[in-house]
Amino acid sequence: MSKSIKAYQSGFSFLLSSKKIWFLIYGLNVGFAILVALPLNNYLKSTISDSLATNNEFLQFNYTYISDFLANYGSGLEVVFNTSIYILLSYFIIMVFISGGMVTIIQNRDKYQEFSNFWKGGAVLFWRFLRLDFYFILIYLVIAAIGFSIFQFGGLSVFEMESETGLINRFYIIAIVMSILFFILGIIHIYAKLFISKTNKILIHKDVLKAFSFCIKNFGIVILLGIINLLVFGIFAGFYFWFRNHYYFSNSPILLLFVIGQLFILFRIACRIIRTASFEALSRGE
């Protein structure tokens, strides 16, 4: 347990000593959001700003308002939907690049933390990290498909069941098992990036196997460190959502809500940096 705590402390120390990288990643996230939001916001204002659907009744499931919205502005929704796909792909690519830069800085925490090295690391590791993320996404999808297949085994129609209790229990069991698997895979994913960044090999399968082997050999310590990272994030995220649900629709100043939202984004990025840096510290035996 002490190793996991020391590793987390090392990750936190790295965050405090790398504030410019922290704010650089924040700036890239905000910059991307602004580039996407401004034209999309202008388009929505020009198409649906005067719709009946902007009334408060639309916040509830009101068939009349929803029908009016779809009948008059369905084409606008189609454009928004198609644009969202490209936005998600663009965001995914940017996150891959940022991940490469962040891992490079973390791996060389005692040598340099210049912006130029962040950009260089993101470029050098981009294609390997992109392939790695693609492979892990496929693994996640396969696990999700297996979980859904098991869930629907025996049918999903509640009308053909004596009780829906079995279906509900099956759902909770599968959800818990899948969450644990995703949690472990997420840790292996991070270590795969750390090991890939240490080599210049085009093929990455050996580094992935090395990450898997490291996690198996240090399973208890690695899992405990992952739980510590998850708990810290969960506590602060829970407080944020509690605050938002209680004050978002109140008379709180818009500026205050905006600041709270930006602080949460900064916190999310901080947790990501601490998590990666703490796992890296554990692999170095700190």
Side-chain angles (χ1 to χ4, degrees):
M1 183 173 182
S2 60
K3 288 185 178 181
S4 299
I5 295 176
K6 288 181 179 179
Y8 186 85
Q9 291 174 340
S10 177
F12 186 76
S13 298
F14 173 80
L15 175 71
L16 296 180
S17 63
S18 308
K19 289 187 285 291
K20 58 183 180 181
I21 301 299
W22 180 14
F23 284 98
L24 171 63
I25 297 175
Y26 167 76
L28 291 173
N29 278 267
V30 173
F32 177 79
I34 292 174
L35 288 175
V36 169
L38 288 180
L40 189 59
N41 182 59
N42 292 334
Y43 175 78
L44 291 176
K45 282 184 177 180
S46 65
T47 56
I48 66 173
S49 58
D50 297 325
S51 172
L52 290 174
T54 57
N55 292 332
N56 291 332
E57 288 84 351
F58 189 70
L59 295 176
Q60 303 175 1
F61 187 83
N62 188 304
Y63 181 78
T64 302
Y65 284 98
I66 293 176
S67 297
D68 170 75
F69 185 88
L70 293 177
N72 293 280
Y73 305 103
S75 59
L77 282 180
E78 183 179 355
V79 172
V80 171
F81 176 77
N82 293 333
T83 304
S84 299
I85 295 176
Y86 292 108
I87 290 173
L88 289 175
L89 289 175
S90 301
Y91 183 74
F92 172 72
I93 291 173
I94 291 175
M95 287 299 102
V96 172
F97 182 88
I98 289 176
S99 180
M102 182 179 68
V103 169
T104 298
I105 296 298
I106 291 174
Q107 290 280 30
N108 300 277
R109 62 171 71 187
D110 299 326
K111 297 179 181 179
Y112 48 76
Q113 294 185 15
E114 300 298 330
F115 288 152
S116 59
N117 295 312
F118 177 88
W119 303 118
K120 180 180 178 181
V124 169
L125 296 172
F126 177 79
W127 291 110
R128 283 181 284 169
F129 276 18
L130 182 64
R131 280 186 287 137
L132 179 70
D133 289 350
F134 178 73
Y135 296 153
F136 269 84
I137 288 174
L138 287 180
I139 294 173
Y140 291 135
L141 291 176
V142 169
I143 293 176
I146 294 173
F148 180 74
S149 299
I150 296 174
F151 175 67
Q152 68 175 358
F153 183 78
L156 299 177
S157 177
V158 295
F159 300 104
E160 299 177 359
M161 301 178 184
E162 295 182 359
S163 173
E164 69 275 7
T165 304
L167 185 66
I168 295 173
N169 292 337
R170 191 193 317 162
F171 171 79
Y172 282 125
I173 293 173
I174 293 174
I176 292 172
V177 172
M178 287 180 59
S179 297
I180 294 174
L181 289 176
F182 286 167
F183 175 73
I184 296 174
L185 281 173
I187 296 175
I188 297 174
H189 193 179
I190 294 173
Y191 273 111
K193 289 184 177 181
L194 292 172
F195 288 129
I196 288 172
S197 66
K198 293 180 180 180
T199 65
N200 293 319
K201 299 177 180 179
I202 297 177
L203 299 178
I204 62 175
H205 64 281
K206 290 184 178 180
D207 294 313
V208 175
L209 292 175
K210 188 177 180 180
F212 179 79
S213 176
F214 178 85
C215 292
I216 294 298
K217 291 179 180 179
N218 303 275
F219 187 79
I221 301 174
V222 167
I223 293 298
L224 180 58
L225 179 57
I227 292 174
I228 292 173
N229 278 277
L230 185 62
L231 284 176
V232 173
F233 175 78
I235 291 172
F236 282 92
F239 174 77
Y240 166 74
F241 287 113
W242 173 85
F243 180 87
R244 191 185 69 171
N245 291 335
H246 280 74
Y247 297 99
Y248 189 81
F249 292 108
S250 67
N251 295 323
S252 299
I254 297 179
L255 180 60
L256 174 62
L257 296 174
F258 173 78
V259 170
I260 295 297
Q262 296 308 301
L263 288 176
F264 180 69
I265 295 175
L266 275 169
F267 170 73
R268 261 195 318 114
I269 297 171
C271 285
R272 186 182 178 192
I273 295 174
I274 292 173
R275 182 182 59 178
T276 305
S278 63
F279 281 126
E280 192 274 336
L282 189 62
S283 68
R284 289 192 293 129
E286 292 189 5

